[in-house]
Amino acid sequence: MPNIASVLKAEIVRLARKELRSEVDSIRKALMAARAESAALKRRVSELERSVRQSARAAPARPPSPTAVEEGADKFRFRASGMASNRKRLGLSAADFGLLVGASGQSVYAWEQGNARPRGKNLAAIAALRGVGKREVVERLAALKSGEQS
């Protein structure tokens, strides 16, 4: 005949397993739902990242500043060495070149050294001087200087 203690122990183990199984099943179902939701969120994030990359490729690198749009400065490239060589080609001092582009001689030196960048109106004036010859520059400079003195 079986021992009453072993029978009681077996019944307690059986009931404990039954209770644990019901608890574990509910936790397992919640875990499966959380995993499914996590996978759905990961898919959504990857779709959004792909969309951002595509829109970044389609959009310009940086939006133009309001002053650049007004003055059309975004059309011109600026290289300090290019401006310096153009000034030397024309045989102008920094002060004369500054007078032609509407700035001071110190500003011209700062631009050539790369310590500063010209603003929109100055950039447009520098670009306008690129294709101009020495004679025309001398005429413009003379007109500006005579306008200053009167």
Side-chain angles (χ1 to χ4, degrees):
M1 179 147 177
N3 186 353
I4 188 108
S6 64
V7 171
L8 274 174
K9 184 179 177 185
E11 185 63 17
I12 290 171
V13 168
R14 186 185 69 80
L15 288 174
R17 282 188 180 150
K18 185 177 176 184
E19 286 295 317
L20 282 174
R21 194 175 308 123
S22 67
E23 290 294 320
V24 168
D25 283 345
S26 66
I27 291 173
R28 189 175 289 138
K29 286 179 184 177
L31 178 64
M32 294 288 280
R35 283 183 177 163
E37 185 178 355
S38 174
L41 288 173
K42 284 181 182 179
R43 281 191 299 273
R44 179 71 178 140
V45 165
S46 68
E47 289 172 7
L48 290 172
E49 286 175 343
R50 189 177 319 114
S51 170
V52 166
R53 281 193 304 268
Q54 288 175 347
S55 64
R57 281 188 217 124
R62 66 177 171 90
S65 66
T67 57
V69 171
E70 291 170 5
E71 299 168 2
D74 57 340
K75 294 184 232 172
F76 306 112
R77 292 182 309 174
F78 174 76
R79 278 186 24 233
S81 60
M83 188 188 82
S85 65
N86 190 32
R87 181 176 69 84
K88 288 174 185 158
R89 177 187 67 85
L90 295 171
L92 295 173
S93 68
D96 288 342
F97 192 85
L99 186 61
L100 285 170
V101 297
S104 67
Q106 288 295 319
S107 296
V108 171
Y109 279 127
W111 297 338
E112 288 178 353
Q113 298 299 317
N115 296 333
R117 279 189 56 80
R119 294 216 165 95
K121 63 179 180 174
N122 302 119
L123 199 55
I126 292 168
L129 286 177
R130 284 185 192 146
V132 176
K134 287 183 180 181
R135 288 186 201 137
E136 188 175 341
V137 166
V138 170
E139 290 171 6
R140 286 185 191 180
L141 200 55
L144 284 172
K145 285 184 179 180
S146 67
E148 272 184 6
Q149 292 172 358
S150 51

